[in-house]
Structures are given as C-alpha cells and as structure tokens.
Amino acid sequence: MIELIPAIDIIEGKCVRLTKGDYDTKKVYGDPVEMAVRFQQLGFSRLHVVDLDGAKSRHVVNIDALRGITSATDLTVDFGGGVKTDEDLEKAFAAGAGMVTAGSIAVTDPDKVLSWIGKFGAGRLILGADVRNGKISINGWKEDSQEDLIPFLKRYVDAGIRNVLCTEISKDGTLEGPAIELYREIMRHYPTLHLIASGGVGCDDDIRALDDAGIPAVVFGKAFYEGKITIHNQ
C-alpha cells in the first residue's frame, strides 16, 4: 500500500500552495500548526514541510513554524527549503525535524551533502529531485541546472540514499494527475528506492494509479485543501 504524506508549504508563516512553483499563484490555507494538528487527528504519522521563503532566500527562514509544528504534534516531519549550510541543517534538526530534504545543495555542492550523509546517516536525509524538462531545477525552481535526473540520482544512491522526493514541476499544484511514467522510469533504474512522488495529484484515482505502478509513497497538498481527495482516518 502506498504511503500517503500530507504537505504543508510555508510562506511568511502561513500554509500556502503554489501552482508550478510560481509564487504569484500563492493561495493561503491558514495556520501551518493548526493544519499539522488536523493531519495528526486524521491519523497521519508523517508530514512534509517546505519553507518556500527559505527556498527563494537560499537559507532557512520559517524555522519558528517548523518548531511550532513539531511541538504541537507527534508527526515525523521531513523539512526542506533553503537548507544550504551545516547551520541550516542543524537548525532544522534542533527544531524537531526528523528528516531534512537536500535539494538545490545536492546539485551545487554534492560534497557537502555527501558529508551530511556521513555525519547524520542516509536515513535522516531525503534527496530532493525536482524536475523540469528532464533537468534538475534549483533555488526555489527559479533555475534549471544541467543535471539529468537519472545520472544525478546515481551519485547519491551509491552513497546510501534511499529516500528520494521527486517533483515534476510542470504537474505541481495543477491537480491534473501525476507524472507516473517518470516515476516508473526512476523505479526501473533504482528499484530499492523509497521514492516519494510529488506533483499533480488531483483525485483518489491518481493515488490508486501511483499505487498500482508500485510507487512507494506520495506527497499531496492542494488536492486535500481543495477537497478533491477522500482521506479517511489512517
């Protein structure tokens, strides 16, 4: 059974969703701590939190919101967005994050991420692989790197990474369905990954399709906030 992971994206301390990473499409859904408590009440044990201000600023910004979530719930929180330095990483862990997503930094400074794997263990890190036109996108999806997805993953899989969060940017926030073939391709190359699909989930059938495709986990956000999917107590 596919693992369901709700998502909270944060701008200026508020729970928001964007479309295709465009900050001009921001829609606010209230207080992130209240939303996290709601997810726990629904029976979820995991939560994906993204500091969108941090992603754009290239350093962690919404650390107080993360601390509020981890103080108010027992959820295992994975946190990303703007984690670029040892200090950012240690702040996130100190604020209660159980896992931290390394996204842009995994492209721009792979040696640093490999050092984090050595220091904290691969199990506490998630590799963020956000894709647009086949290339890894960085810095809050404002830039596309020259890194192709499959070769990019290999360096980190070889270093022990098993948790990979892959967002197809063209699908993100559209509610138009996930990039199932992209996720199938990743699993064909790296069948032992705990791959977390992200982007495009718009209905219950989308989640079932990912499950049928053998994708281990899925992050969802807007579909829940807009009442497009049915979530029963987990």
Side-chain angles (χ1 to χ4, degrees):
M1 181 63 183
I2 193 168
E3 181 183 14
L4 304 179
I5 305 173
I8 291 176
D9 292 355
I10 302 173
I11 291 179
E12 297 176 349
K14 299 294 185 183
C15 176
V16 306
R17 297 304 288 177
L18 309 181
T19 300
K20 300 183 182 180
D22 182 352
Y23 284 69
D24 291 335
T25 66
K26 178 181 72 175
K27 186 170 182 179
V28 178
Y29 292 97
D31 180 73
V33 175
E34 292 176 2
M35 191 63 70
V37 169
R38 184 178 174 192
F39 284 130
Q40 178 166 285
Q41 291 170 342
L42 286 169
F44 291 99
S45 59
R46 278 280 303 275
L47 179 66
H48 176 62
V49 174
V50 181
D51 179 356
L52 289 175
D53 292 314
K56 190 161 62 171
S57 303
R58 306 189 188 188
H59 59 85
V60 171
V61 174
N62 285 291
I63 202 73
D64 288 341
L66 170 62
R67 190 178 293 108
I69 289 168
T70 60
S71 297
T73 73
D74 296 320
L75 295 165
T76 298
V77 177
D78 69 76
F79 176 81
V83 178
K84 295 288 193 294
T85 64
D86 293 358
E87 182 183 8
D88 287 328
L89 187 69
E90 289 163 2
K91 276 184 181 178
F93 284 139
M99 306 171 79
V100 170
T101 299
S104 300
I105 190 69
V107 174
T108 60
D109 194 350
D111 288 342
K112 182 174 290 293
V113 176
L114 293 173
S115 77
W116 291 347
I117 293 170
K119 182 176 182 180
F120 295 99
R124 296 202 72 189
L125 292 168
I126 298 173
L127 178 64
D130 301 329
V131 183
R132 181 164 43 211
N133 300 320
K135 302 290 187 181
I136 301 295
S137 187
I138 60 175
N139 296 329
W141 301 349
K142 300 300 182 187
E143 303 173 42
D144 293 336
S145 73
Q146 296 304 306
E147 295 271 6
D148 292 312
L149 173 62
I150 299 302
F152 169 74
L153 294 177
K154 185 177 189 304
R155 172 187 290 154
Y156 294 102
V157 171
D158 289 348
I161 283 289
R162 287 294 173 265
N163 298 296
V164 172
L165 174 72
C166 182
T167 303
E168 169 49 74
I169 294 168
S170 70
K171 299 282 190 179
D172 188 69
T174 65
L175 306 176
E176 294 174 354
I180 292 176
E181 284 310 309
L182 174 68
Y183 305 129
R184 285 186 193 273
E185 180 184 5
I186 294 171
M187 295 303 296
R188 280 195 296 269
H189 282 87
Y190 306 112
T192 63
L193 281 184
H194 186 73
L195 178 64
I196 307 166
S198 173
V201 170
C203 62
D204 294 338
D205 284 346
D206 289 336
I207 293 174
R208 281 191 283 269
L210 287 164
D211 194 18
D212 290 344
I215 309 307
V218 59
V219 162
F220 62 89
K222 185 179 283 188
F224 174 82
Y225 299 128
E226 297 289 329
K228 303 290 187 182
I229 56 176
T230 306
I231 300 295
H232 302 290
N233 281 354
Q234 298 297 294

